[in-house]
Amino acid sequence: MDNIIRLSLYLTPIVLITGPALTDITITIASITFVFKSIKKKLFYYYSHPLCVFFWVWCFYLIINSLISENKLLSLESSLFYFRFGVFSLVIFYAIENFSNFNKNFTKIFLIIYVFVIIDAYIQFFFGTNILGFKYSGGRLSGVFNDEHVLGSYVSRFLPLCFAFLFINYRNSIVAT
């Protein structure tokens, strides 16, 4: 089970550039595997952390609000499976605690993908076509995202994560020496 969790987490930065479908599948596989493992091995302490309990209460609150809203189906659509973010956070916490060098390996994979996306966008800008053959039509760059113009959003939203990963690994290397 640990190999499935590890592989799913390592694949997450890669599938993020493919769109939401593969990302959701990968995260769901990691989360379901972790839930089964935590039940089998009785790792319930992950779910009872005060922040985690607060999150479960918050999810329950959102579902109750959805049930009493005027448009129940539309409201439940966004709140019913909100708990998956909490479970995925627990998966990451579990991986950091239990997998040796997880931080380093995940950071390397994430930074390689992030830098690849940026370099690919520059290639598309300067040469009119990116590495994957997607053409630049002027205006907004799309890079590896082809017709979806989410490159700027991707770069700006994941830049803080890059800094966080680098900071954590740098801090851990200083503490280790």
Side-chain angles (χ1 to χ4, degrees):
M1 285 188 175
D2 280 350
N3 288 335
I4 294 171
I5 293 171
R6 184 180 292 129
L7 179 64
S8 297
L9 290 177
Y10 287 153
L11 283 176
T12 301
I14 298 165
V15 298
L16 275 171
I17 62 175
T18 65
L22 286 178
T23 304
D24 284 346
I25 291 168
T26 306
I27 289 172
T28 301
I29 289 170
S31 298
I32 289 172
T33 306
F34 172 74
V35 168
F36 281 130
K37 180 177 178 78
S38 63
I39 291 170
K40 183 178 177 184
K41 300 284 185 179
K42 296 183 173 134
L43 304 173
F44 302 120
Y45 60 91
Y46 283 103
Y47 302 98
S48 61
H49 187 278
L51 284 175
C52 198
V53 171
F54 176 77
F55 183 77
W56 304 134
V57 170
W58 178 254
C59 289
F60 183 70
Y61 169 75
L62 292 176
I63 291 170
I64 296 298
N65 273 344
S66 295
L67 290 173
I68 60 175
S69 71
E70 286 185 26
N71 194 345
K72 290 175 183 45
L73 290 178
L74 181 63
S75 186
L76 277 172
E77 185 179 313
S78 61
S79 65
L80 189 58
F81 294 105
Y82 195 72
F83 67 90
R84 72 182 191 266
F85 297 113
V87 174
F88 188 65
S89 299
L90 293 177
V91 172
I92 293 173
F93 183 63
Y94 173 79
I96 290 169
E97 269 191 347
N98 294 289
F99 303 152
S100 61
N101 296 322
F102 175 78
N103 282 344
K104 262 187 207 175
N105 295 335
F106 189 80
T107 301
K108 286 177 188 174
I109 293 168
F110 187 81
L111 287 175
I112 288 169
I113 297 301
Y114 189 78
V115 169
F116 169 76
V117 167
I118 292 172
I119 290 172
D120 183 70
Y122 274 114
I123 290 171
Q124 186 181 41
F125 180 74
F126 288 115
F127 298 108
T129 306
N130 71 350
I131 294 170
L132 303 174
F134 302 142
K135 299 210 180 297
Y136 175 48
S137 59
R140 294 173 62 181
L141 284 172
S142 62
V144 296
F145 303 104
N146 196 11
D147 293 336
E148 297 179 38
H149 294 285
V150 295
L151 177 67
S153 176
Y154 179 90
V155 169
S156 65
R157 290 180 187 194
F158 288 113
L159 183 63
L161 275 176
C162 285
F163 285 136
F165 290 139
L166 290 171
F167 175 76
I168 288 168
N169 284 302
Y170 176 74
R171 185 188 67 184
N172 289 345
S173 67
I174 288 177
V175 171
T177 57

